[in-house]
Amino acid sequence: MRIGIPRELKPREGRVGLVPAACAELVRSGHEVFVEAGAGEKSGYTDQHYRDIGVKIQPTAREVYGGAQMIVKVKEPVEADLGLLRKDHLLFCYLHLAALPDLTRRLCEIGLTAVAFETVEDQFGRLPLLAPMSDIAGRLSIQIATCLLHQPQGGKGILLGGVPAARRGRVVILGGGVAGGNAAIVAAGLGADVVVFDKDRDKLVAAREIGANVTGLYPHTADVADAVRSADIVVGAVLVTGARAPHVISSDMVRHMQAGSVIVDISVDQGGCVETTRPTTYDAPTYVWEGVTHFTVTNMPGAVPRTSSQALSAAIAPYAGRLADGDWQDDADLRKGINVMAGKVVHPALLS
């Protein structure tokens, strides 16, 4: 199969669909791989790195799309990508269509088949292609929020872990899955008082095992509202596979937070679990609503492209190989990843 990897176009997005080592596996299997010139540079990979393992470098995206049967990229296609996609393309990337009805319509009009990283699901119900970016987004959420608490950034002027004679910062995390769990690990490691809300008792047990400064609670509305009111940082990490994230934190809860507090909504890709969330980019990553700073960038892991590209490639490369080898629709994991098939929406979460 001819596989195309275009350069990512979202603002300050440095990731690349597949790093050279992953491409080498595809080339050894007999596939042709085309990479747009400069696509890997921000992740630390030059065009020569790709040439050295048999990848063909194309000068523009038009050549990449024009010669490929399968397109492997990181983020959902933007307008410039949509103009180059064809009916016969197999698209493999993050899509998050539940929050993007216009993109869903455009993909259907093109008539292609699209497999979304975030809905590929293994036999144990895990999301193996979402997990590596959730790892990174969870950790970044606390790193970023900690800086946003600094007074020069408009924050409360709090050191998250506190010091003797000064209280620790308070962190509230909605969702104890991969992203929320990683956020809790970093926040607890910095010394904050952390509360993780989740409906799954096993996730609450895992949260408590992080450390004595982590509490796991069921998300009763009154308890969430009480915790959010006194929080310095709130992290939204709620996920319903393939579907729009529910609003767990209302605008009224946000209104009662202290000025200078910070919200990081990792769920923004799926619409956000905070009612006051709206998507932002790294060009203008934050906004203030009722005195509360919101960080709601839709491609958070793009800030650390070298780490992100390596982790993502390790996860998606075997699946890209299965797609390229043909008969992939017999693969149960990949079948669950199909969002659009020949121009028709097929994923149950998008049909409901």
Side-chain angles (χ1 to χ4, degrees), residues 306-318:
R306 187 170 304 199
T307 299
S308 295
S309 294
Q310 291 171 356
L312 182 59
S313 286
I316 69 173

Side-chain angles (χ1 to χ4, degrees), residues 39-103:
E41 286 182 357
K42 292 180 181 178
S43 294
Y45 301 104
T46 66
D47 292 345
Q48 193 59 47
H49 283 127
Y50 285 98
R51 289 193 187 97
D52 288 345
I53 48 92
V55 169
K56 297 175 183 177
I57 300 297
Q58 300 286 24
T60 68
R62 184 169 297 278
E63 279 94 353
V64 172
Y65 282 91
Q69 297 165 286
M70 178 167 73
I71 300 296
V72 179
K73 62 192 309 296
V74 181
K75 289 300 291 178
E76 72 279 355
V78 296
E79 189 61 36
D81 300 310
L82 290 168
L84 298 173
L85 284 165
R86 302 188 309 269
K87 181 177 182 179
D88 60 310
H89 275 142
L90 173 59
L91 177 63
F92 191 39
C93 65
Y94 288 115
L95 285 172
H96 299 289
L97 294 182
L100 299 169
D102 288 343
L103 176 58

Side-chain angles (χ1 to χ4, degrees), residues 245-276:
H247 286 159
V248 179
I249 299 176
S250 68
S251 58
D252 190 56
M253 292 182 193
V254 177
R255 190 175 286 111
H256 283 87
M257 292 176 69
Q258 298 172 17
S261 300
V262 177
I263 291 175
V264 179
D265 196 345
I266 300 171
S267 305
V268 62
D269 279 321
Q270 294 291 122
C273 66
V274 181
E275 190 176 6
T276 52

Side-chain angles (χ1 to χ4, degrees), residues 216-232:
L217 295 175
Y218 188 90
H220 295 295
T221 301
D223 291 339
V224 170
D226 184 58
V228 167
R229 185 181 305 112
S230 61
D232 301 307

Side-chain angles (χ1 to χ4, degrees), residues 150 211 343:
H150 296 171

Side-chain angles (χ1 to χ4, degrees), residues 18 41 54 62 66 118 122 146 155 185 192 246 273 292 306 322:
L18 290 169
E41 286 182 357
R62 184 169 297 278
E118 73 273 9
D122 69 16
T146 300
I185 289 169
C273 66
V292 177
R306 187 170 304 199
R322 292 183 216 173

